[in-house]
């Protein structure tokens, strides 16, 4: 599983070296970290003005040892569960929304706390190139 | 007994209606109307937490509106969203309304009372936080609120050094000044709606003499 992920990231990185993913990112923000917590979640809206779907397959955020694609889903018994997902498709002429309580980038083992007012850079790897996005740190 | 209470309550409502009519305040009327979902009647019970300031019982907060939430500090998505919602509700309530947030950690292996105090204060000075370190007692207490949690570890057990998520129910419980669970909100709920409901219960319980 993990090897598959690393391989995919590598293939995408090589393949997407020159290519810039045909996506427009906006409203990108990450949650400021409370004291004693070394993880956070990132949110944004991705728009795809192109005629073909774009698949977001991985992400890497500055300062995080690992960044994962996660979804918080409600189980039938009422618990909320965070699930690791393989990727998200941004439909042609459509958008993908990452928002609290749903899809998010999960930033693990942050080297430094994220403080309100700062910003970090994340790189999204897609099947059609990569996309570098600035994420504002908010509460 | 219950019938008597109901008629006292009805009398109070009538008195309030008269007062409202006299004041000609339609807004007051709307504020006063409260309705507790019947399914919540059995919800809640004693809850005694270990906090950085010592033991804190939910009953100690009688006379204030409480927004209760069960979560864990290493939760990056749902819990901060819920705490931000609670903070926004507290900010919306007029200063005359006594209110608190109460964060109960279901992950005592990693969340110590001291750490929780700093964690909660980060979101709002009126959010209190604590936990119950004995897992059996924690389960008992959370079960009274039908709050459920599960550690995503290989053996399902918590680990002080572990790096794991905790699946958990993620509702915001509105507790009236008289100490009853009177409503339940999804953590994604609009803070304005929760604040409005909190106001209604504050006014309602105050008229019934629930305020100390
Ligand atoms: Cu996550």
């Amino acid at each position: 599983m993990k090897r598959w992920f690393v391989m995919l990231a590598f293939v995408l990185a090589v393949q997407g070296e020159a290519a810039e993913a045909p996506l427009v990112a906006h409203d990108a923000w990450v949650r400021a970290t409370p004291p004693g917590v070394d993880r956070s979640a990132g949110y944004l809206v991705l728009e795809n003005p192109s005629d073909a779907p774009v698949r977001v397959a991985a992400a890497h955020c500055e300062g995080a040892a690992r960044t994962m694609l996660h979804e918080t889903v409600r189980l039938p018994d009422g618990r909320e569960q965070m699930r690791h997902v393989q990727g998200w498709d941004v439909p042609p002429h459509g958008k993908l929304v990452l928002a609290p309580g749903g899809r998010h980038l999960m930033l693990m083992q942050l080297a430094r706390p994220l403080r309100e007012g700062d910003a970090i850079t994340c790189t999204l790897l897609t099947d059609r190139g990569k996309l570098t996005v600035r994420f504002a740190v908010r509460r | 007994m219950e019938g008597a209470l109901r008629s006292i309550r009805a009398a109070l409502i009538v008195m309030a209606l008269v007062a409202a009519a006299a004041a000609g305040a339609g807004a007051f009327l709307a504020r006063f109307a409260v309705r507790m979902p019947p399914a919540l009647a059995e919800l809640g019970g004693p809850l005694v937490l270990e906090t950085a300031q010592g033991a804190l019982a939910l009953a100690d907060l009688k006379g204030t509106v409480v927004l209760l939430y069960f979560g864990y500090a290493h939760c990056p998505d749902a819990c901060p969203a819920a705490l931000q919602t609670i903070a926004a509700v507290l900010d919306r309530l007029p200063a005359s309304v006594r209110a608190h947030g109460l964060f109960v950690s279901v992950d005592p292996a990693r969340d110590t009372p001291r750490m929780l105090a700093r964690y909660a204060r980060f979101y709002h000075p009126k959010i209190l936080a604590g936990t119950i370190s004995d897992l059996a007692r924690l389960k008992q207490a959370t079960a009274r609120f039908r709050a459920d949690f599960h550690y995503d570890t290989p053996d399902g057990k918590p680990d002080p050094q572990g790096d794991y998520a905790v699946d958990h129910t993620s509702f915001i419980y509105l507790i009236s000044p008289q100490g009853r669970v009177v409503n339940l909100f999804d953590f994604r709920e609009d803070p304005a709606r929760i604040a409005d409901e909190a106001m209604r219960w504050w006014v309602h319980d105050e008229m019934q003499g629930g305020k100390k």
Side-chain angles (χ1 to χ4, degrees):
Chain A
M1 174 59 216
K2 196 161 182 173
R3 192 178 303 158
W4 178 90
F5 178 77
V6 171
M7 256 168 58
L8 176 78
F10 176 75
V11 170
L12 288 169
V14 169
Q15 191 192 42
E17 193 73 64
E20 182 80 12
L23 292 174
V24 182
H26 53 92
D27 298 322
W29 65 285
V30 283
R31 197 71 87 169
T33 48
V37 177
D38 68 347
R39 63 195 61 196
S40 178
Y43 310 99
L44 83 168
V45 178
L46 289 170
E47 298 209 38
N48 177 6
S50 80
D51 292 325
V54 178
R55 187 164 179 81
V56 179
H60 176 72
C61 291
E62 181 189 352
R66 278 182 299 152
T67 304
M68 296 162 90
L69 311 185
H70 270 190
E71 276 179 30
T72 298
V73 290
R74 181 170 296 172
L75 301 176
D77 67 5
R79 279 184 281 141
E80 303 279 341
Q81 183 179 60
M82 282 203 307
R83 287 188 186 156
H84 176 199
V85 295
Q86 308 291 0
W88 293 302
D89 287 318
V90 193
H93 305 287
K95 63 181 180 179
L96 176 81
V97 179
L98 275 64
R103 300 183 190 102
H104 58 275
L105 300 181
M106 174 93 155
L107 285 63
M108 311 279 286
Q109 292 163 279
L110 287 158
R112 283 175 304 281
L114 299 178
R115 292 189 209 292
E116 205 174 357
D118 288 354
I120 60 163
T121 299
C122 296
T123 304
L124 306 180
L125 303 177
T126 81
D127 59 349
R128 290 172 67 194
K130 54 185 184 180
L131 184 73
T132 302
V133 184
R134 288 292 277 174
F135 283 69
V137 181
R138 287 187 6 207
R139 265 217 185 190
Chain B
M1 176 64 199
E2 191 155 343
L5 271 175
R6 203 169 293 150
S7 54
I8 290 170
R9 200 176 136 171
L12 278 162
I13 291 171
V14 169
M15 278 163 60
L17 287 175
V18 170
F28 179 86
L29 252 176
R31 283 230 167 279
F32 186 73
V34 288
R35 190 188 150 270
M36 190 181 95
L40 301 185
E42 305 289 302
L43 215 60
L47 180 64
V48 183
L49 304 173
E50 297 149 34
T51 78
Q53 263 72 49
L56 172 73
L58 180 56
D60 297 339
L61 298 174
K62 260 202 170 163
T64 78
V65 168
V66 178
L67 299 153
L68 170 69
Y69 181 79
F70 297 92
Y72 67 109
H74 288 81
C75 157
D77 181 44
C79 308
L83 286 164
Q84 280 296 86
T85 301
I86 291 172
V89 174
L90 293 171
D91 282 340
R92 277 173 172 274
L93 291 172
S96 59
V97 176
R98 282 191 286 162
H100 282 103
L102 183 58
F103 180 87
V104 178
S105 170
V106 294
D107 188 21
R110 290 184 296 180
D111 298 346
T112 64
R114 265 185 67 176
M115 183 254 194
L116 286 168
R118 294 169 61 218
Y119 173 82
R121 209 179 307 131
F122 175 80
Y123 290 98
H124 201 286
K126 282 187 181 170
I127 301 180
L128 308 169
T131 188
I132 298 172
S133 49
D134 181 85
L135 214 53
R137 285 184 44 235
L138 177 65
K139 282 270 182 200
Q140 267 172 22
T142 53
R144 289 196 272 268
F145 290 84
R146 266 173 259 156
D148 195 14
F149 60 95
H150 175 261
Y151 302 111
D152 278 343
T153 52
D155 57 2
K157 293 200 177 94
D159 171 4
Q161 257 72 54
D163 182 8
Y164 54 90
V166 185
D167 305 340
H168 60 95
T169 46
S170 187
F171 296 102
I172 296 170
Y173 298 72
L174 174 63
I175 298 176
S176 70
Q178 290 184 356
R180 288 187 304 158
V181 177
V182 291
N183 219 329
L184 210 57
F185 297 95
D186 187 280
F187 70 103
R188 306 166 188 89
E189 181 63 74
D190 176 9
R193 226 201 106 207
I194 305 177
D196 199 57
E197 187 73 4
M199 263 305 285
R200 287 166 200 253
W201 281 101
W202 171 262
V203 171
H204 176 267
D205 282 15
E206 197 170 4
M207 296 198 99
Q208 290 200 336
K211 202 186 113 182
K212 275 199 210 130

